[in-house]
């Protein structure tokens, strides 16, 4: 019996490792509800999904603004009378102040995505606090907007990042409908994956800046159409959270 147990353990351990790795990798391309619910319980101060039954979802964009793609995103949103939250980087805001102001003028929200695309997990407490403060100041100076939300670059972060966000009065936001568009998965997959994860309170994550983000421009009409089909409206994070608290 002991030998059988050892044989089972010898086989099961690598299988469990493979399964865990598969789940971890897969979660970057698709987030099932059970995973989002588990993350919300584990990290209650982080906003993965807005708890609401109101017919709305939050549409968010990272890494901008950029003249190559943000302009097209804004045009598509205007055509659909949709609103979104743009997690902008201070480096990009400094380069494109007029475009940054256009985002606000069209009724969208600006949020904090720090200064550059340096992963938040690599930052010390002091570095995270300074990057958050610098980005906040740049956004406020150029747009007049005071960010209420912050998203850590590359998603992963240390506990000190949460403390820095709390001190800055900004809530950390990740998301619940993300298909890893920066890794350029097939357009057909993203067209299927994001709508299939959407429901009231979902936070959709796309990218519009720094690199080739044509995938975002190509898939956005499908996401907006999915919202209509599901009878949920794209709103800013501020508006979506506000409805949940009403």
């Amino acid at each position: 019996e002991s030998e059988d147990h050892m044989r089972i353990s010898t086989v099961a351990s690598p299988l469990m490792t493979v399964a865990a790795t598969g789940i971890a990798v897969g979660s970057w391309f698709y987030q099932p509800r059970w995973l989002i619910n588990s993350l919300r319980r584990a990290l209650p101060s982080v906003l993965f999904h807005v708890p609401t039954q109101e017919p709305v979802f939050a549409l968010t964009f990272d890494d901008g603004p950029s003249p190559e793609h943000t302009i097209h995103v804004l045009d598509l949103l205007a055509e659909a009378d949709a609103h979104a939250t743009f997690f902008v980087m201070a480096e990009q805001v400094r380069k494109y102040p007029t475009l940054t102001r256009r985002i606000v003028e069209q009724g969208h929200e600006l949020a904090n995505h720090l200064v550059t695309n340096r992963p938040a997990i690599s930052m010390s407490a002091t570095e995270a606090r300074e990057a958050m403060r610098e980005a906040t100041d740049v956004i406020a100076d150029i747009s007049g907007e005071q960010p209420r939300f912050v998203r850590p670059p590359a998603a992963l972060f240390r506990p000190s990042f949460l403390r820095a966000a709390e001190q800055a009065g900004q809530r950390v936001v990740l998301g619940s409908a993300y298909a890893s568009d920066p890794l350029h998965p097939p357009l057909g997959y993203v067209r299927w994956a994001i709508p299939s994860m959407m429901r009231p309170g979902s936070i959709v994550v796309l990218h519009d800046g720094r690199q080739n983000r044509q995938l975002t421009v190509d898939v956005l009409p499908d996401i907006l159409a999915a919202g209509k089909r599901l009878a949920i409206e794209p709103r800013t994070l501020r508006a979506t959270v506000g409805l949940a608290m009403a």
Side-chain angles (χ1 to χ4, degrees), residues 40-62:
R40 289 171 63 194
R41 287 192 295 269
L43 294 167
S45 64
V46 177
L47 192 60
F48 292 91
H49 174 93
V50 180
T52 183
Q53 290 305 310
E54 294 290 332
V56 296
F57 70 99
L59 186 56
T60 70
F61 299 90
D62 287 3

Side-chain angles (χ1 to χ4, degrees), residues 4 14 21 26 38 43 61 73 81 83 85-86 111 117-118 141 145 148 152 168 172 177-178 186-187 214 222 227 232:
D4 288 344
T21 302
S38 297
L43 294 167
F61 299 90
V73 168
D81 193 24
H83 294 91
T85 297
F86 289 78
N117 63 344
R118 176 184 171 186
D141 289 346
E145 284 272 295
R148 293 181 54 185
V172 175
Y178 178 50
L187 176 60
Q214 186 59 40
D222 299 275
I232 52 177

Side-chain angles (χ1 to χ4, degrees), residues 140-209:
D141 289 346
I142 288 176
S143 72
E145 284 272 295
Q146 189 69 31
R148 293 181 54 185
F149 303 101
V150 59
R151 179 173 280 152
L156 302 178
F157 56 88
R158 302 180 185 185
S160 56
F161 188 92
L162 285 175
R163 292 192 292 271
E166 184 178 2
Q167 291 167 2
Q170 298 175 20
R171 186 162 185 189
V172 175
V173 177
L174 290 180
S176 56
Y178 178 50
S180 284
D181 55 290
L183 299 180
H184 303 288
L187 176 60
Y189 172 77
V190 182
R191 281 175 168 161
W192 168 81
I194 290 184
S196 71
M197 291 184 275
M198 287 167 53
R199 57 190 169 112
S202 288
I203 300 175
V204 173
V205 183
L206 295 164
H207 291 72
D208 68 318

Side-chain angles (χ1 to χ4, degrees), residues 8-23:
I8 292 171
S9 297
T10 301
V11 173
S13 181
L15 289 176
M16 290 175 66
T17 300
V18 169
T21 302
I23 291 171

